[in-house]
Amino acid sequence: MNIFYNSCVDCTLKSGAVSLLDQKELCILEEGCSKILFHKGELIFKEGSPAKHITYIRDGLVKLVKKGIGGKDFILSISKGGSYLGLQNLNRDTRDNYFSAIAVTPTEVCFLDIDCFAKLLDQNGSFAIKVISTIFNDEMNYFERLVNNVQQQLPGRLANTLLYFCKEVYGQNPFNLNLTMVEVAALIGTSRESVSRIFKEFQDEGIIKSEKKQITILDEAKLEKIRHKG
Amino acid sequence: MNIFYNSCVDCTLKSGAVSLLDQKELCILEEGCSKILFHKGELIFKEGSPAKHITYIRDGLVKLVKKGIGGKDFILSISKGGSYLGLQNLNRDTRDNYFSAIAVTPTEVCFLDIDCFAKLLDQNGSFAIKVISTIFNDEMNYFERLVNNVQQQLPGRLANTLLYFCKEVYGQNPFNLNLTMVEVAALIGTSRESVSRIFKEFQDEGIIKSEKKQITILDEAKLEKIRHKG
DNA sequence: GTATAAACGTGAGATATGTTACATTTGTAG
DNA sequence: CTACAAATGTAACATATCTCACGTTTATAC
């Protein structure tokens, strides 16, 4: 884990919201900002621990994990560069992390002091609106997943997930899933064995090709069809 | 459906966020505010239609419904007085309602013009922070539901739902569910028949009593136990 | 009150998924 | 390279839930 002391003013990877801030406001942000590098598998923050920061993912993939019944993990989402984590903690009543964040690939994040961040929201309404917008982009994903996980069967959920990773996360066709079968299972709420079975089905039917962790979607139309009820 | 022209300044049912506004700001709000009464079953706004308002529930119960695959309804949540609906639409990219809102009981709402609302967020950062807080209270409910719906079996999900209504929604023990079996099914993602069966089981085991729509939780401990994996 | 539709209860059979168990492959540290 | 741990593939069986089917009850409209 490497720590850099950096300057928000000169930062070249500003989020859409932060780019609305002026020089003086960036200095406020900078006061409570530290940039840190995490290796694959490292814990960025842990569910239940007190939250003092908003976490901005500069680059990399992060899984957000919440413990369910019997301590069984559920992956709320896979977040990529440009996302804010822990905005929930702006709510003064709940200052504990609601989920854990774990690096799935090497990941660079900024920890932004929560009080500095709140100060900026208070001062700059346009900034606040932009932040609210990004919150809702995420929220809609949760809605989708809620509905899909409940209404779809496993093949549909897996098809969904594969298309999501291909289109939204990586934006390229042969792509590296970066997740183990156990993680995929925790993502769509099933068992490792079932994921394995359906993966095999998809391969047998020539819908996908999968060697090592490299996945190629061969028949996107068919995958879309399964997703819409197959 | 009755329309009243009212004054936000004199309103006696202000939300926590709105009570942070001063006289002048309330006048801005009032400009784009109309109070409307809906009967049970009436549609407040419809999924997919253009959104021009933030909806504030003054009083009553509202179900938020989203169409899933095959047009099958899923109830995202049951919202009660004091909630804002459609804050998603503050995001300028998505100005269509993401779900339908339907009155479950007689309901009184205020429609707040979205541009007026945005103007207030822009002007008053404390207001913005308060609004963000309420957003996340909701969001955490969605997280819970996402995890529970995926990891729990039907008895657990139903137990959850009953306890939620008893504690969070009505805050009293013999309570009126106000939902049909079909609606409960859409809420926990199953079929009407399955809900019916589990209801019966709960009654046979003396956990709940149910006459007409009136429900009494007789053995809360047992219900809690089922919820935590029964 | 009567008619009609909506909501509900319940059984039998079909099926998707969970569970258990074990063999095999892959990754990793030394 | 070796040894050990982690991840994976796969089969057989158990089970929760869905689906279909039909009869009954309850609400609603006229």
Side-chain angles (χ1 to χ4, degrees):
Chain A
M1 195 195 300
N2 303 314
I3 305 185
F4 303 97
Y5 293 96
N6 72 310
S7 151
C8 294
V9 177
D10 301 330
C11 177
T12 53
L13 261 176
K14 291 193 191 74
S15 72
V18 167
S19 61
L20 290 176
L21 299 177
D22 64 27
Q23 192 82 3
K24 211 174 79 194
E25 290 167 327
L26 283 171
C27 290
I28 296 176
L29 190 64
E30 190 169 321
E31 235 175 79
C33 176
S34 54
K35 187 168 74 173
I36 300 190
L37 199 68
F38 288 92
H39 300 138
K40 177 180 172 176
E42 280 187 326
L43 182 67
I44 299 174
F45 57 79
K46 189 171 163 64
E47 177 177 350
S49 65
K52 300 225 177 317
H53 303 92
I54 304 289
T55 306
Y56 177 67
I57 307 177
R58 286 167 58 87
D59 193 34
L61 280 193
V62 176
K63 61 175 173 176
L64 310 185
V65 183
K66 182 157 179 60
K67 289 255 177 262
I69 43 171
K72 203 162 136 192
D73 281 344
F74 182 75
I75 298 183
L76 290 171
S77 78
I78 302 288
S79 297
K80 58 175 180 171
S83 309
Y84 288 100
L85 308 180
L87 289 169
Q88 295 85 355
N89 302 312
L90 286 169
N91 184 337
R92 279 154 219 281
D93 303 333
T94 58
R95 281 283 171 98
D96 289 337
N97 284 306
Y98 199 68
F99 46 73
S100 299
I102 299 169
V104 169
T105 63
T107 298
E108 199 178 319
V109 309
C110 289
F111 287 116
L112 309 171
D113 182 88
I114 207 164
D115 295 316
C116 294
F117 201 86
K119 199 164 155 192
L120 289 174
L121 287 176
D122 195 65
Q123 284 183 12
N124 186 330
S126 306
F127 179 64
I129 290 179
K130 195 80 185 177
V131 168
I132 290 179
S133 288
T134 70
I135 292 172
F136 281 118
N137 280 341
D138 289 351
E139 180 149 311
M140 306 236 258
N141 278 334
Y142 292 122
F143 282 160
E144 296 284 355
R145 292 197 57 210
L146 184 52
V147 176
N148 288 336
N149 269 306
V150 169
Q151 293 196 339
Q152 309 234 102
Q153 298 192 315
L154 286 184
R157 289 190 246 165
L158 186 59
N160 239 329
T161 304
L162 290 175
L163 287 165
Y164 177 75
F165 271 84
C166 180
K167 307 251 172 201
E168 309 295 328
V169 179
Y170 298 110
Q172 52 183 240
N173 196 332
F175 63 95
N176 194 311
L177 191 53
N178 276 314
L179 297 178
T180 68
M181 293 285 135
V182 175
E183 286 173 318
V184 174
L187 193 57
I188 65 178
T190 183
S191 63
R192 173 185 73 75
E193 292 89 337
S194 295
V195 174
S196 189
R197 255 188 295 250
I198 296 167
F199 248 101
K200 185 164 174 271
E201 277 180 43
F202 283 2
Q203 285 185 77
D204 289 350
E205 294 173 39
I207 299 172
I208 62 170
K209 197 175 67 179
S210 153
E211 2 192 63
K212 305 270 181 176
K213 292 277 162 213
Q214 190 80 193
I215 292 185
T216 315
I217 294 180
L218 301 172
D219 191 342
E220 187 180 323
K222 212 163 178 180
L223 207 52
E224 282 285 0
K225 206 169 146 198
I226 290 172
R227 168 201 206 169
H228 289 301
K229 190 64 186 175
Chain B
M1 196 196 302
N2 302 315
I3 306 185
F4 303 96
Y5 293 98
N6 72 311
S7 150
C8 293
V9 177
D10 301 331
C11 178
T12 54
L13 261 176
K14 292 192 189 77
S15 72
V18 167
S19 60
L20 289 176
L21 299 177
D22 65 25
Q23 193 79 7
K24 212 173 80 196
E25 289 168 327
L26 282 171
C27 289
I28 295 177
L29 191 63
E30 189 171 322
E31 233 176 81
C33 175
S34 55
K35 187 169 76 173
I36 300 191
L37 198 67
F38 287 92
H39 299 139
K40 177 179 170 177
E42 280 187 328
L43 182 68
I44 299 173
F45 56 80
K46 189 172 164 67
E47 178 176 350
S49 66
K52 300 225 178 319
H53 303 93
I54 304 289
T55 307
Y56 176 67
I57 307 177
R58 286 168 58 87
D59 193 35
L61 281 193
V62 176
K63 62 174 175 178
L64 310 185
V65 183
K66 183 158 179 59
K67 290 255 176 260
I69 43 170
K72 203 161 137 192
D73 281 344
F74 182 75
I75 298 184
L76 291 171
S77 79
I78 303 287
S79 297
K80 59 173 179 171
S83 309
Y84 287 100
L85 307 180
L87 288 169
Q88 296 86 353
N89 302 313
L90 286 169
N91 185 335
R92 278 153 220 285
D93 303 332
T94 60
R95 281 284 172 100
D96 288 337
N97 285 305
Y98 198 67
F99 46 75
S100 299
I102 299 169
V104 169
T105 64
T107 298
E108 201 179 317
V109 309
C110 288
F111 287 116
L112 309 171
D113 182 89
I114 207 163
D115 295 317
C116 294
F117 200 87
K119 198 163 155 193
L120 290 174
L121 287 175
D122 196 67
Q123 284 183 14
N124 186 330
S126 307
F127 179 66
I129 290 179
K130 194 79 186 178
V131 168
I132 290 179
S133 288
T134 72
I135 292 172
F136 281 118
N137 280 341
D138 290 350
E139 180 149 311
M140 306 236 257
N141 278 335
Y142 292 123
F143 283 160
E144 297 284 354
R145 294 196 58 209
L146 183 52
V147 176
N148 289 336
N149 269 306
V150 169
Q151 292 196 340
Q152 309 234 98
Q153 297 191 318
L154 286 185
R157 287 190 248 166
L158 186 58
N160 240 329
T161 304
L162 290 174
L163 287 165
Y164 177 75
F165 271 84
C166 181
K167 307 250 174 206
E168 309 295 327
V169 179
Y170 297 110
Q172 53 183 240
N173 194 334
F175 62 95
N176 195 312
L177 190 54
N178 277 315
L179 296 178
T180 67
M181 294 284 136
V182 175
E183 286 173 318
V184 175
L187 194 56
I188 65 178
T190 180
S191 63
R192 174 186 71 78
E193 293 91 331
S194 295
V195 174
S196 188
R197 259 184 285 254
I198 296 167
F199 248 101
K200 185 164 175 268
E201 278 179 40
F202 282 2
Q203 285 186 75
D204 289 350
E205 295 174 38
I207 299 172
I208 63 169
K209 197 175 68 180
S210 154
E211 2 191 64
K212 305 272 179 172
K213 291 275 160 216
Q214 190 79 193
I215 292 184
T216 315
I217 294 181
L218 301 171
D219 192 343
E220 188 180 324
K222 212 162 175 178
L223 208 53
E224 282 284 359
K225 207 169 143 197
I226 291 172
R227 168 201 204 169
H228 289 300
K229 191 68 191 168

